[in-house]
Amino acid sequence: MTNKVKVVLGVIGADCHAVGNKILNHAIAAAGYEVINLGVLVPQEEFVNAAIETDAKAILVASLYGHGEIDCRGLRDRCREAGIEDIKLYVGGNLVVGKTDFDEVEKKFLGMGYNRVYEPGTLPDVVIADMKEDLK
Amino acid sequence: MNNILLIDFGSTYTKITAVDVDQEKVLGTARGITTVETDIMDGLNQALTALFAKTGRLEFGKVLGCSSAAGGLKMIAVGLVPEMTAEAAKRAALGAGAKVLKVFSHELSEYEIEEIEELKPDIILLAGGTDGGNQKVIMHNAKMLAGLNLDVPVVVAGNKSVTPKVVKILSEKHTEVRPTENVMPKLDELNIEPARIVIRDIFLKRITEAKGLNRANKMVDRLVMPTPAAVLKASELLSQGGDGEPGLGDLMVMDIGGATTDVYSIAKGDPTVGGVSLKGLSEPFGKRTVEGDLGMRYSAGALLKAAGAEMIASYAGSSPEEAAAYTAKVEADIDYLPQTDIEANIEIAMGKACVRLSTDRHVGHLETYFTPFGTSYVQTGKDLTKVAIVIGTGGVIVNHNKPEEILKGIVFDETNPQTLKPRQPDFFIDKDYIMASMGLLGEEYPATAVRMMKKYIVNK
Ligand code: B12
């Protein structure tokens, strides 16, 4: 394969919103990364396993359907357990139900061990700029 | 006249099949005791004498053999994540006809190295990391395996970026180190054929000699493969056809033994209904699985544990106590044969439980996700619900008077609809016990092997 930096992408839990996933996959690949796209309905364990085997530098988790808080909790611990404690974790989508103050949401997810947390409707350019900075 | 002799050196019996290739006819079959401890030729000559007593003296233009004698081809598989490269390595070894003693994952420890020394594998398959993926673990494992107190052939089928380094480390200790393509080059993409070919090559060149099977070279032109690989090859031929002779499409083969139960499926196994998405490691088209806890004698106790006395009793129409007592009896006395009607029924029930549980594990499973917009389904493994041909082979099934009763364990269970087993299969029995031989014959005469299997096995 290539020497491109690899990132794992997927929509977590029982969430099957597929459109944003396809857009992100396309945009991040076009920016020069190798995207290991796990698609929708992805359990935490699969994110971790995929990252281990492929030696990915970041896991990008999406959650659109409102159960983000439950689904995303514990992913950092799983990574620690699996020996990839230094991997970057990004999360975005519609992380909680309804209109909650985003600062609150961000604080909560940072506390759960995510490195970056994105607001609903974030455009791919924003995350790609962050990746350029974080994944060298 | 063009006669070929096909030999299967089994763990107990040496089974031979004489075939007239021009007439596409089985001239005769016979068996002797496998005598690998002394001289493998003794048992073979015994079988030949028995054969010629039936057929008269025959000359053979070619003699081909397969073997599961002397413990079969014993392998261990090493990978990184259990569900990923470790599983892919295991599937490659099984597909090569090996007996997989154990699968190891993540970084090997000193204890595990000791364990491998005790297991004394014939070949080690080392995988780990997708191409361009994790390097650390396979490098670590290569160093650990270089510290083994054994000189074992190692097949390296991991992250291609470090294959040269891995080979170099291993070569310091092991005489035969063979690099090949990654068993999982990309996430969830299975690529087992190259590893299978290398394993078979090592089997041919080295293992047969190490096990004293090469004494048969006096008579056998080529000892081509392990017996399970020959059965897999026969199944693939019958399904896909060969050399212009069409195949029969998707099929499954069951082989119950005293210690293990083998399941083969030749089918893509894509979803058969709409709205189902696929998950997990991709499936080999020709898939073999082996269950070490499901068998009729050595594993009877383990079978009882896996199935539960109630399941066996309900199949047999006996009490659970009777079922438990009988399994204990045959495990202790492996030559025991049923003496009463109840025992005969329990014997059938044990076979049926072996078939049921081994196929439950072999086939794919469907998971259901409920959403407010309806149900969505995710399938892992193969959907084999539409498979219409199920063949029974192996001593237990072939020599049984009610083999269909045993095979019924393969049928889809309405109370367990997420397990994707064949819904309405037809059962066929390899009565003349020629399946492995046909796999061997198919090496040279694929079309003939397909036609003969249609004639001798799948005929109603
Ligand atoms: C289409 C749709 C569906 C379709 C999905 C079809 C499919 N397979 O994709 C169907 C009808 C199946 C559906 C079902 C449901 N949906 Co819906 N759905 C939508 C809708 C209308 C559009 C989603 C979409 O495709 N957007 C377009 C893409 C491009 O945008 P995006 O997904 O937001 O992604 C972008 C960014 O957010 C960002 N991003 C996303 N993830 C990540 C991750 C990272 C790391 C980063 C950096 C960026 C990032 O990048 C993308 C590109 O810019 C939204 C409403 C809306 N307008 O957003 C509701 C919506 C997402 N659904 C919602 C809900 C509640 C549901 C249901 C639970 C039932 C329901 N009541 O509708 C079910 C859940 C089903 C399930 N199990 O997943 C809610 C979620 C509420 C919440 N989170 O607070 C929404 C917001 C509607 C609403 N306002 O109520 N839905």
Side-chain angles (χ1 to χ4, degrees):
Chain A
M1 303 292 109
T2 54
N3 297 323
K4 287 179 183 171
V5 172
K6 297 183 188 65
V7 297
V8 171
L9 174 70
V11 185
I12 200 165
D15 191 340
C16 51
H17 289 90
V19 185
N21 172 268
K22 296 219 170 77
I23 292 178
L24 285 167
N25 184 6
H26 184 80
I28 296 169
Y33 294 88
E34 187 174 328
V35 184
I36 293 119
N37 189 9
L38 306 179
V40 298
L41 295 169
V42 183
Q44 283 195 2
E45 187 191 0
E46 276 176 33
F47 282 100
V48 177
N49 285 347
I52 295 174
E53 290 275 12
T54 61
D55 201 23
K57 298 290 176 257
I59 298 176
L60 276 59
V61 180
S63 176
L64 286 308
Y65 69 161
H67 303 292
E69 201 184 322
I70 304 167
D71 290 343
C72 296
R73 193 180 293 282
L75 184 63
R76 175 56 77 190
D77 284 336
R78 263 182 201 269
C79 290
R80 285 199 190 102
E81 197 75 66
I84 50 168
E85 55 277 6
D86 298 330
I87 197 164
K88 295 277 186 254
L89 297 181
Y90 295 3
V91 65
N94 307 308
L95 293 174
V96 294
V97 179
K99 286 206 187 313
T100 315
D101 177 23
F102 182 69
D103 287 345
E104 293 272 315
V105 176
E106 185 175 28
K107 226 161 83 198
K108 196 172 267 165
F109 278 80
L110 289 175
M112 281 156 59
Y114 289 83
N115 301 83
R116 292 188 186 267
V117 187
Y118 297 92
E119 284 187 81
T122 303
L123 293 176
D125 293 350
V126 179
V127 64
I128 290 167
D130 289 340
M131 285 166 63
K132 291 223 162 94
E133 199 178 308
D134 293 350
L135 316 176
K136 281 176 189 147
Chain B
M1 197 177 64
N2 180 7
N3 293 345
I4 291 198
L5 182 68
L6 306 154
I7 308 171
D8 173 8
F9 294 103
S11 46
T12 320
Y13 295 111
T14 296
K15 299 175 281 286
I16 61 175
T17 308
V19 169
D20 179 336
V21 176
D22 295 335
Q23 309 260 355
E24 308 197 333
K25 219 174 101 185
V26 174
L27 296 170
T29 60
R31 69 181 199 193
I33 299 288
T34 295
T35 48
V36 71
E37 268 87 40
T38 52
D39 184 340
I40 191 141
M41 285 302 289
D42 295 345
L44 178 54
N45 284 324
Q46 194 190 343
L48 281 168
T49 309
L51 177 74
F52 293 158
K54 295 187 217 168
T55 61
R57 217 184 151 72
L58 297 169
E59 294 296 325
F60 299 106
K62 186 156 261 164
V63 180
L64 297 174
C66 60
S67 162
S68 55
L73 170 61
K74 290 179 287 179
M75 288 188 63
I76 64 151
V78 183
L80 173 47
V81 174
E83 298 86 351
M84 296 185 165
T85 47
E87 175 67 22
K90 177 183 172 193
R91 289 186 189 174
L94 286 171
K99 183 170 179 178
V100 179
L101 302 174
K102 189 152 180 181
V103 181
F104 295 89
S105 55
H106 299 290
E107 293 182 341
L108 290 168
S109 74
E110 285 78 5
Y111 290 158
E112 287 173 319
I113 290 297
E114 281 170 23
E115 197 182 342
I116 294 172
E117 282 165 357
E118 273 159 34
L119 289 170
K120 295 200 179 50
D122 298 319
I123 300 178
I124 296 173
L125 176 57
L126 174 61
T130 54
D131 282 348
N134 183 289
Q135 308 186 345
K136 211 174 92 200
V137 174
I138 193 171
M139 291 285 286
H140 169 90
N141 290 343
K143 282 177 202 135
M144 294 299 284
L145 292 172
L148 271 176
N149 225 338
L150 301 169
D151 182 3
V152 199
V154 186
V155 177
V156 179
N159 181 354
K160 65 155 191 146
S161 312
V162 287
T163 298
K165 284 188 202 150
V166 168
V167 169
K168 194 158 171 253
I169 296 169
L170 288 166
S171 299
E172 280 166 25
K173 171 79 198 191
H174 303 283
T175 321
E176 175 110 35
V177 180
R178 298 277 294 272
T180 185
E181 285 174 35
N182 197 339
V183 287
M184 194 181 95
K186 275 183 170 176
L187 199 74
D188 289 346
E189 186 183 301
L190 192 72
N191 173 42
I192 59 177
E193 204 45 42
R196 260 170 73 168
I197 292 169
V198 177
I199 293 166
R200 202 174 128 180
D201 190 51
I202 299 177
F203 172 80
L204 238 138
K205 287 208 186 110
R206 295 179 53 103
I207 311 299
T208 53
E209 194 179 324
K211 289 185 185 285
L213 298 166
N214 58 328
R215 281 168 175 263
N217 288 351
K218 276 176 236 160
M219 159 138 207
V220 183
D221 296 308
R222 276 197 304 140
L223 200 54
V224 241
M225 49 185 136
T227 305
V231 175
L232 183 60
K233 168 88 191 195
S235 313
E236 283 170 344
L237 272 173
L238 183 58
S239 162
Q240 296 305 291
D243 208 13
E245 179 66 25
L248 300 176
D250 293 355
L251 56 85
M252 289 180 75
V253 177
M254 292 296 319
D255 179 354
I256 310 175
T260 60
T261 299
D262 285 35
V263 186
Y264 303 81
S265 64
I266 317 297
K268 208 151 174 280
D270 281 344
T272 53
V273 289
V276 176
S277 50
L278 278 167
K279 265 265 135 79
L281 191 61
S282 65
E283 292 282 318
F285 180 74
K287 177 174 181 173
R288 169 177 177 243
T289 50
V290 182
E291 305 305 334
D293 62 338
L294 305 176
M296 301 292 286
R297 290 294 179 268
Y298 302 97
S299 307
L303 168 68
L304 183 75
K305 213 159 143 202
E310 279 74 20
M311 185 200 287
I312 296 175
S314 75
Y315 286 163
S318 71
S319 73
E321 290 73 24
E322 285 167 320
Y326 184 73
T327 51
K329 190 169 177 177
V330 294
E331 190 179 17
D333 179 5
I334 58 154
D335 293 321
Y336 188 85
L337 291 173
Q339 301 298 324
T340 63
D341 282 351
I342 287 199
E343 290 190 344
N345 288 339
I346 297 174
E347 184 86 10
I348 294 174
M350 286 169 66
K352 192 171 168 188
C354 285
V355 172
R356 171 176 167 178
L357 296 175
S358 61
T359 41
D360 279 354
R361 298 176 196 171
H362 180 99
V363 305
H365 297 265
L366 210 56
E367 268 176 287
T368 313
Y369 290 87
F370 297 102
T371 74
F373 282 80
T375 348
S376 76
Y377 301 96
V378 176
Q379 175 185 326
T380 7
K382 288 182 174 185
D383 180 343
L384 298 174
T385 53
K386 293 251 165 80
V387 170
I389 299 174
V390 170
I391 298 169
T393 186
V396 171
I397 292 180
V398 170
N399 298 321
H400 204 277
N401 59 346
K402 287 181 185 164
E404 275 92 0
E405 287 302 312
I406 293 177
L407 289 178
K408 277 182 188 160
I410 206 170
V411 179
F412 186 87
D413 178 0
E414 294 294 345
T415 63
N416 193 5
Q418 62 274 27
T419 305
L420 304 170
K421 298 163 66 157
R423 279 180 182 275
Q424 288 178 313
D426 284 327
F427 297 132
F428 301 93
I429 309 301
D430 177 16
K431 310 174 273 302
D432 303 289
Y433 208 165
I434 56 168
M435 205 85 186
S437 297
M438 290 301 113
L440 292 172
L441 183 66
E443 289 284 293
E444 311 259 336
Y445 300 96
T448 306
V450 175
R451 279 193 293 272
M452 286 188 67
M453 281 189 277
K454 287 182 187 170
K455 182 158 124 193
Y456 286 94
I457 304 173
V458 188
N459 53 355
K460 268 227 159 145

